[in-house]
PDB file of all heavy atoms in Angstrom:
ATOM      1  N   TRP A  34      -0.957  14.083 -11.448  1.00 95.00           N
ATOM      2  CA  TRP A  34      -1.950  13.294 -12.159  1.00 95.00           C
ATOM      3  C   TRP A  34      -1.339  12.776 -13.458  1.00 95.00           C
ATOM      4  O   TRP A  34      -0.706  13.533 -14.195  1.00 95.00           O
ATOM      5  CB  TRP A  34      -3.201  14.118 -12.468  1.00 95.00           C
ATOM      6  CG  TRP A  34      -4.054  14.390 -11.269  1.00 95.00           C
ATOM      7  CD1 TRP A  34      -4.061  15.520 -10.491  1.00 95.00           C
ATOM      8  CD2 TRP A  34      -5.031  13.506 -10.697  1.00 95.00           C
ATOM      9  NE1 TRP A  34      -4.979  15.390  -9.482  1.00 95.00           N
ATOM     10  CE2 TRP A  34      -5.587  14.168  -9.588  1.00 95.00           C
ATOM     11  CE3 TRP A  34      -5.484  12.236 -11.027  1.00 95.00           C
ATOM     12  CZ2 TRP A  34      -6.581  13.592  -8.795  1.00 95.00           C
ATOM     13  CZ3 TRP A  34      -6.472  11.670 -10.248  1.00 95.00           C
ATOM     14  CH2 TRP A  34      -7.009  12.340  -9.142  1.00 95.00           C
ATOM     15  N   TYR A  35      -1.559  11.485 -13.691  1.00 94.00           N
ATOM     16  CA  TYR A  35      -1.093  10.840 -14.918  1.00 94.00           C
ATOM     17  C   TYR A  35      -2.257  10.105 -15.561  1.00 94.00           C
ATOM     18  O   TYR A  35      -3.153   9.598 -14.886  1.00 94.00           O
ATOM     19  CB  TYR A  35       0.007   9.825 -14.623  1.00 94.00           C
ATOM     20  CG  TYR A  35       1.367  10.416 -14.337  1.00 94.00           C
ATOM     21  CD1 TYR A  35       1.697  10.889 -13.072  1.00 94.00           C
ATOM     22  CD2 TYR A  35       2.324  10.487 -15.342  1.00 94.00           C
ATOM     23  CE1 TYR A  35       2.945  11.421 -12.819  1.00 94.00           C
ATOM     24  CE2 TYR A  35       3.591  11.018 -15.095  1.00 94.00           C
ATOM     25  CZ  TYR A  35       3.881  11.484 -13.838  1.00 94.00           C
ATOM     26  OH  TYR A  35       5.121  12.010 -13.584  1.00 94.00           O
ATOM     27  N   GLN A  44       1.183   9.213 -19.227  1.00 91.00           N
ATOM     28  CA  GLN A  44       1.288  10.588 -19.697  1.00 91.00           C
ATOM     29  C   GLN A  44       1.044  11.555 -18.538  1.00 91.00           C
ATOM     30  O   GLN A  44       0.003  11.505 -17.901  1.00 91.00           O
ATOM     31  CB  GLN A  44       0.257  10.841 -20.805  1.00 91.00           C
ATOM     32  CG  GLN A  44       0.437   9.964 -22.035  1.00 91.00           C
ATOM     33  CD  GLN A  44       1.698  10.279 -22.791  1.00 91.00           C
ATOM     34  OE1 GLN A  44       1.995  11.444 -23.079  1.00 91.00           O
ATOM     35  NE2 GLN A  44       2.464   9.255 -23.127  1.00 91.00           N
ATOM     36  N   PHE A  45       2.010  12.413 -18.312  1.00 89.00           N
ATOM     37  CA  PHE A  45       1.898  13.397 -17.239  1.00 89.00           C
ATOM     38  C   PHE A  45       0.858  14.443 -17.594  1.00 89.00           C
ATOM     39  O   PHE A  45       0.873  15.014 -18.690  1.00 89.00           O
ATOM     40  CB  PHE A  45       3.257  14.049 -17.024  1.00 89.00           C
ATOM     41  CG  PHE A  45       3.236  15.232 -16.100  1.00 89.00           C
ATOM     42  CD1 PHE A  45       3.041  15.074 -14.744  1.00 89.00           C
ATOM     43  CD2 PHE A  45       3.428  16.514 -16.602  1.00 89.00           C
ATOM     44  CE1 PHE A  45       3.031  16.165 -13.896  1.00 89.00           C
ATOM     45  CE2 PHE A  45       3.420  17.613 -15.763  1.00 89.00           C
ATOM     46  CZ  PHE A  45       3.225  17.435 -14.405  1.00 89.00           C
ATOM     47  N   LEU A  46      -0.039  14.700 -16.676  1.00 94.00           N
ATOM     48  CA  LEU A  46      -1.074  15.704 -16.906  1.00 94.00           C
ATOM     49  C   LEU A  46      -0.753  17.010 -16.182  1.00 94.00           C
ATOM     50  O   LEU A  46      -0.672  18.070 -16.806  1.00 94.00           O
ATOM     51  CB  LEU A  46      -2.432  15.184 -16.447  1.00 94.00           C
ATOM     52  CG  LEU A  46      -2.997  13.976 -17.200  1.00 94.00           C
ATOM     53  CD1 LEU A  46      -4.331  13.546 -16.608  1.00 94.00           C
ATOM     54  CD2 LEU A  46      -3.137  14.276 -18.678  1.00 94.00           C
ATOM     55  N   ILE A  47      -0.590  16.934 -14.867  1.00 93.00           N
ATOM     56  CA  ILE A  47      -0.425  18.165 -14.104  1.00 93.00           C
ATOM     57  C   ILE A  47       0.129  17.840 -12.723  1.00 93.00           C
ATOM     58  O   ILE A  47      -0.049  16.730 -12.214  1.00 93.00           O
ATOM     59  CB  ILE A  47      -1.770  18.917 -14.009  1.00 93.00           C
ATOM     60  CG1 ILE A  47      -1.574  20.381 -13.625  1.00 93.00           C
ATOM     61  CG2 ILE A  47      -2.749  18.192 -13.083  1.00 93.00           C
ATOM     62  CD1 ILE A  47      -2.790  21.248 -13.916  1.00 93.00           C
ATOM     63  N   GLN A  48       0.839  18.814 -12.144  1.00 90.00           N
ATOM     64  CA  GLN A  48       1.392  18.683 -10.805  1.00 90.00           C
ATOM     65  C   GLN A  48       0.983  19.881  -9.959  1.00 90.00           C
ATOM     66  O   GLN A  48       1.015  21.025 -10.437  1.00 90.00           O
ATOM     67  CB  GLN A  48       2.919  18.606 -10.837  1.00 90.00           C
ATOM     68  CG  GLN A  48       3.565  18.538  -9.453  1.00 90.00           C
ATOM     69  CD  GLN A  48       5.045  18.897  -9.453  1.00 90.00           C
ATOM     70  OE1 GLN A  48       5.622  19.174 -10.496  1.00 90.00           O
ATOM     71  NE2 GLN A  48       5.670  18.876  -8.288  1.00 90.00           N
ATOM     72  N   GLU A  54      -0.366  25.259  -8.730  1.00 92.00           N
ATOM     73  CA  GLU A  54       0.035  24.495  -9.895  1.00 92.00           C
ATOM     74  C   GLU A  54       1.540  24.641 -10.098  1.00 92.00           C
ATOM     75  O   GLU A  54       2.064  25.759 -10.149  1.00 92.00           O
ATOM     76  CB  GLU A  54      -0.723  24.993 -11.125  1.00 92.00           C
ATOM     77  CG  GLU A  54      -0.432  24.211 -12.388  1.00 92.00           C
ATOM     78  CD  GLU A  54      -1.182  24.786 -13.587  1.00 92.00           C
ATOM     79  OE1 GLU A  54      -2.418  24.877 -13.534  1.00 92.00           O
ATOM     80  OE2 GLU A  54      -0.493  25.154 -14.569  1.00 92.00           O
ATOM     81  N   ARG A  55       2.240  23.516 -10.239  1.00 87.00           N
ATOM     82  CA  ARG A  55       3.698  23.547 -10.355  1.00 87.00           C
ATOM     83  C   ARG A  55       4.155  23.247 -11.783  1.00 87.00           C
ATOM     84  O   ARG A  55       5.095  23.851 -12.272  1.00 87.00           O
ATOM     85  CB  ARG A  55       4.313  22.534  -9.392  1.00 87.00           C
ATOM     86  CG  ARG A  55       5.799  22.270  -9.553  1.00 87.00           C
ATOM     87  CD  ARG A  55       6.646  23.494  -9.243  1.00 87.00           C
ATOM     88  NE  ARG A  55       6.620  23.871  -7.855  1.00 87.00           N
ATOM     89  CZ  ARG A  55       7.481  23.430  -6.947  1.00 87.00           C
ATOM     90  NH1 ARG A  55       8.411  22.574  -7.295  1.00 87.00           N
ATOM     91  NH2 ARG A  55       7.403  23.859  -5.707  1.00 87.00           N
ATOM     92  N   ALA A  56       3.517  22.302 -12.428  1.00 86.00           N
ATOM     93  CA  ALA A  56       3.917  21.930 -13.787  1.00 86.00           C
ATOM     94  C   ALA A  56       2.705  21.400 -14.531  1.00 86.00           C
ATOM     95  O   ALA A  56       1.787  20.845 -13.931  1.00 86.00           O
ATOM     96  CB  ALA A  56       5.029  20.885 -13.763  1.00 86.00           C
ATOM     97  N   LYS A  57       2.725  21.626 -15.819  1.00 90.00           N
ATOM     98  CA  LYS A  57       1.611  21.196 -16.650  1.00 90.00           C
ATOM     99  C   LYS A  57       2.156  20.352 -17.789  1.00 90.00           C
ATOM    100  O   LYS A  57       3.165  20.697 -18.403  1.00 90.00           O
ATOM    101  CB  LYS A  57       0.897  22.422 -17.206  1.00 90.00           C
ATOM    102  CG  LYS A  57      -0.586  22.266 -17.386  1.00 90.00           C
ATOM    103  CD  LYS A  57      -1.229  23.640 -17.629  1.00 90.00           C
ATOM    104  CE  LYS A  57      -2.726  23.550 -17.618  1.00 90.00           C
ATOM    105  NZ  LYS A  57      -3.375  24.866 -17.759  1.00 90.00           N
ATOM    106  N   GLY A  58       1.479  19.263 -18.065  1.00 89.00           N
ATOM    107  CA  GLY A  58       1.900  18.396 -19.157  1.00 89.00           C
ATOM    108  C   GLY A  58       0.862  18.398 -20.249  1.00 89.00           C
ATOM    109  O   GLY A  58       0.313  19.421 -20.617  1.00 89.00           O
ATOM    110  N   ASN A  59       0.563  17.220 -20.747  1.00 84.00           N
ATOM    111  CA  ASN A  59      -0.362  17.095 -21.875  1.00 84.00           C
ATOM    112  C   ASN A  59      -1.816  17.071 -21.417  1.00 84.00           C
ATOM    113  O   ASN A  59      -2.558  16.156 -21.743  1.00 84.00           O
ATOM    114  CB  ASN A  59      -0.041  15.820 -22.646  1.00 84.00           C
ATOM    115  CG  ASN A  59       1.389  15.803 -23.140  1.00 84.00           C
ATOM    116  OD1 ASN A  59       1.913  16.823 -23.565  1.00 84.00           O
ATOM    117  ND2 ASN A  59       2.035  14.652 -23.060  1.00 84.00           N
ATOM    118  N   ILE A  60      -2.212  18.071 -20.694  1.00 93.00           N
ATOM    119  CA  ILE A  60      -3.580  18.086 -20.174  1.00 93.00           C
ATOM    120  C   ILE A  60      -4.485  18.870 -21.111  1.00 93.00           C
ATOM    121  O   ILE A  60      -4.168  19.983 -21.526  1.00 93.00           O
ATOM    122  CB  ILE A  60      -3.621  18.666 -18.733  1.00 93.00           C
ATOM    123  CG1 ILE A  60      -5.019  18.505 -18.135  1.00 93.00           C
ATOM    124  CG2 ILE A  60      -3.105  20.098 -18.681  1.00 93.00           C
ATOM    125  CD1 ILE A  60      -5.081  18.733 -16.642  1.00 93.00           C
ATOM    126  N   LEU A  61      -5.594  18.245 -21.488  1.00 94.00           N
ATOM    127  CA  LEU A  61      -6.540  18.873 -22.394  1.00 94.00           C
ATOM    128  C   LEU A  61      -7.249  20.032 -21.695  1.00 94.00           C
ATOM    129  O   LEU A  61      -7.385  20.060 -20.481  1.00 94.00           O
ATOM    130  CB  LEU A  61      -7.573  17.845 -22.863  1.00 94.00           C
ATOM    131  CG  LEU A  61      -7.029  16.626 -23.620  1.00 94.00           C
ATOM    132  CD1 LEU A  61      -8.136  15.605 -23.836  1.00 94.00           C
ATOM    133  CD2 LEU A  61      -6.407  17.039 -24.945  1.00 94.00           C
ATOM    134  N   GLU A  62      -7.737  20.962 -22.507  1.00 96.00           N
ATOM    135  CA  GLU A  62      -8.468  22.101 -21.943  1.00 96.00           C
ATOM    136  C   GLU A  62      -9.766  21.659 -21.275  1.00 96.00           C
ATOM    137  O   GLU A  62     -10.275  22.345 -20.378  1.00 96.00           O
ATOM    138  CB  GLU A  62      -8.765  23.118 -23.049  1.00 96.00           C
ATOM    139  CG  GLU A  62      -7.553  23.943 -23.438  1.00 96.00           C
ATOM    140  CD  GLU A  62      -7.915  25.112 -24.342  1.00 96.00           C
ATOM    141  OE1 GLU A  62      -9.123  25.412 -24.486  1.00 96.00           O
ATOM    142  OE2 GLU A  62      -6.989  25.713 -24.899  1.00 96.00           O
TER     143      GLU A  62
ATOM    144  N   LYS B  97       8.681  17.576 -13.149  1.00 74.00           N
ATOM    145  CA  LYS B  97       7.844  16.395 -13.312  1.00 74.00           C
ATOM    146  C   LYS B  97       8.712  15.174 -13.609  1.00 74.00           C
ATOM    147  O   LYS B  97       9.828  15.280 -14.082  1.00 74.00           O
ATOM    148  CB  LYS B  97       6.860  16.613 -14.457  1.00 74.00           C
ATOM    149  CG  LYS B  97       7.503  16.712 -15.841  1.00 74.00           C
ATOM    150  CD  LYS B  97       6.464  16.963 -16.898  1.00 74.00           C
ATOM    151  CE  LYS B  97       7.065  17.123 -18.269  1.00 74.00           C
ATOM    152  NZ  LYS B  97       7.610  15.871 -18.803  1.00 74.00           N
TER     153      LYS B  97
END
Side-chain angles (χ1 to χ4, degrees):
Chain A
W34 287 97
Y35 284 83
Q44 299 293 312
F45 171 71
L46 296 178
I47 198 163
Q48 177 198 358
E54 183 182 303
R55 170 65 68 91
K57 213 167 188 176
N59 302 321
I60 187 166
L61 300 172
E62 284 191 12
Chain B
K97 67 182 178 70

